[in-house]
Amino acid sequence: MNKLFITLLICIAVICTQATNVINVAIWNNGTDVNIGTMDITAGVYAQMEITLTGFVYQPSILQSSTYNYVTNQLSLYALNLQKEPFLFIIDTNTWSILSKTPLYEEFQYGGLASTNTQQNNLFTTCSVGGYIYPSTIDPNTNAISKLDTVLGSYRGSVYLPKIESYLVLFKNQTGLFGKVYSETSSVVSEINFHFSGNPYPVNDAPLNLVYDSTNRNVLAQVYMTDSNGRPSYALAHLVWTPGYVPAALHLSRMTGYTGDIFLTTVLNNQRQQYAYSFADSFGQTTLYTFSTYTNNFVTFRPIFTKVLSAF
Ligand SMILES: *[C@@H]1O[C@H](CO)[C@@H](O)[C@H](O)[C@H]1NC(C)=O
Ligand SMILES: *[C@@H]1O[C@H](CO)[C@@H](O)[C@H](O)[C@H]1NC(C)=O
């Protein structure tokens, strides 16, 4: 190959891998209201507000209390009012209007929302109370929650797996970290004992904020470790599958944050480019990391001015 040809190849490679601007839906709290809007995740420093839920608060990211349906562009989220009463909101992000607002039983903590990305907006969710979790489905017509199972343990994350049309819920009990896979028709598809691999530091028992990466058809988890100086260290991990499409382990990648940064939420590039973006709390400021899911490496990071708690 001559030099010109190589240069040409490099130019093509650069053009192909350059990220185009991507607009994502984002959720944040502003102290009095839940704010929902859009953010250019590749270049923006602020999110633009489109709709507010006045007098409501969005719960911490680790509960995974929202999900986005990429087919209908509907955002489903739980929020608490000033009396801490939980509600399920379904929002149309084409028109930025509230399609429904459903009051829920107060005794539960609600999270783990996962859209199946169907026209009907079928949803999975996990409710928790008194040391038990209840993986459940939500009826798209009535918004009624029906429990699929009762599990003694603490919620550690959940995600919808389109390939097997099932919902994976991770939980911690006195024996360890486990996952259960559910289909919409209630049966437990499988039950797995999870472990971590490739972790540079000890992994803390903490929620894992699972997210589905449709480009690479895999699941990413946010793993909280403590480094040798006793400081928080976060990294993204991949779900590793065993034959028969059974998830088995969470393998730590080189997609790592800087020491002390607490990952809040991770969103995959929705234009089918191989990037993942993690919002982090960096000593009170918000930082947005860009990772390559192609090379599994850190790409860049920058400060942003909206403390985004979930994004899609
Ligand atoms: C939150 O946003 C709403 C809508 O823009 C605004 O009315 C309200 O004053 C804001 N609250 C605070 C504390 O900034
Ligand atoms: C933890 O959950 C696993 C999977 O369901 C189960 O086999 C194990 O007995 C549980 N441990 C305790 C202490 O309940």
Side-chain angles (χ1 to χ4, degrees):
M1 286 198 290
N2 66 35
K3 233 180 187 162
L4 181 68
F5 186 63
I6 292 170
T7 312
L8 190 69
L9 273 186
I10 291 168
C11 289
I12 291 169
V14 167
I15 291 163
C16 290
T17 54
Q18 209 139 63
T20 49
N21 288 18
V22 178
I23 305 302
N24 289 78
V25 168
I27 305 173
W28 66 100
N29 284 317
N30 79 340
T32 51
D33 308 327
V34 176
N35 285 190
I36 302 164
T38 57
M39 180 163 179
D40 174 351
I41 222 154
T42 49
V45 289
Y46 288 99
Q48 270 79 48
M49 207 255 293
E50 294 286 353
I51 188 168
T52 57
L53 309 179
T54 308
F56 280 86
V57 64
Y58 184 70
Q59 304 171 90
S61 308
I62 50 170
L63 290 175
Q64 297 188 236
S65 46
S66 60
T67 188
Y68 194 73
N69 183 329
Y70 290 93
V71 172
T72 61
N73 297 333
Q74 285 169 357
L75 175 71
S76 305
L77 75 149
Y78 294 119
L80 307 180
N81 67 11
L82 297 175
Q83 289 75 44
K84 296 208 159 37
E85 293 161 345
F87 285 78
L88 171 67
F89 287 88
I90 315 266
I91 289 161
D92 181 342
T93 66
N94 296 311
T95 57
W96 294 108
S97 55
I98 297 173
L99 299 175
S100 65
K101 175 184 173 185
T102 311
L104 303 167
Y105 292 113
E106 254 179 83
E107 59 266 38
F108 292 99
Q109 185 173 58
Y110 295 88
L113 274 177
S115 169
T116 59
N117 287 298
T118 50
Q119 205 61 48
Q120 260 225 310
N121 201 38
N122 293 67
L123 301 169
F124 283 99
T125 187
T126 299
C127 314
S128 310
V129 67
Y132 286 89
I133 61 166
Y134 303 94
S136 306
T137 53
I138 301 179
D139 185 315
N141 300 311
T142 62
N143 288 343
I145 297 176
S146 311
K147 93 177 175 188
L148 296 168
D149 196 9
T150 303
V151 179
L152 180 61
S154 309
Y155 176 77
R156 290 292 177 261
S158 53
V159 67
Y160 181 69
L161 305 171
K163 187 174 171 183
I164 52 171
E165 297 182 343
S166 300
Y167 179 60
L168 167 67
V169 181
L170 298 191
F171 63 95
K172 176 79 184 352
N173 67 15
Q174 283 176 356
T175 316
L177 181 66
F178 291 89
K180 276 190 171 189
V181 179
Y182 300 92
S183 73
E184 273 176 277
T185 51
S186 98
S187 53
V188 178
V189 178
S190 54
E191 190 177 81
I192 315 105
N193 188 186
F194 270 87
H195 63 273
F196 294 91
S197 62
N199 45 306
Y201 308 117
V203 174
N204 297 311
D205 170 32
L208 291 153
N209 258 4
L210 302 182
V211 60
Y212 186 71
D213 172 2
S214 61
T215 308
N216 297 305
R217 297 203 174 88
N218 205 350
V219 171
L220 291 176
Q222 279 175 200
V223 180
Y224 169 32
M225 294 168 287
T226 298
D227 75 7
S228 38
N229 296 313
R231 293 178 300 198
S233 171
Y234 276 75
L236 301 183
H238 292 107
L239 209 60
V240 179
W241 307 88
T242 57
Y245 210 69
V246 176
L250 289 165
H251 187 75
L252 270 294
S253 73
R254 295 182 305 271
M255 298 187 276
T256 55
Y258 287 104
T259 299
D261 283 5
I262 313 242
F263 282 18
L264 300 169
T265 197
T266 297
V267 57
L268 274 301
N269 189 291
N270 58 19
Q271 308 289 306
R272 299 209 158 264
Q273 291 182 335
Q274 300 197 28
Y275 293 103
Y277 306 90
S278 294
F279 292 86
D281 183 279
S282 181
F283 304 96
Q285 310 292 317
T286 305
T287 292
L288 180 58
Y289 283 89
T290 303
F291 297 115
S292 164
T293 57
Y294 181 65
T295 62
N296 288 322
N297 265 315
F298 169 87
V299 176
T300 183
F301 83 119
R302 61 199 172 86
I304 58 157
F305 302 107
T306 307
K307 189 176 179 180
V308 172
L309 297 175
S310 291
F312 301 98

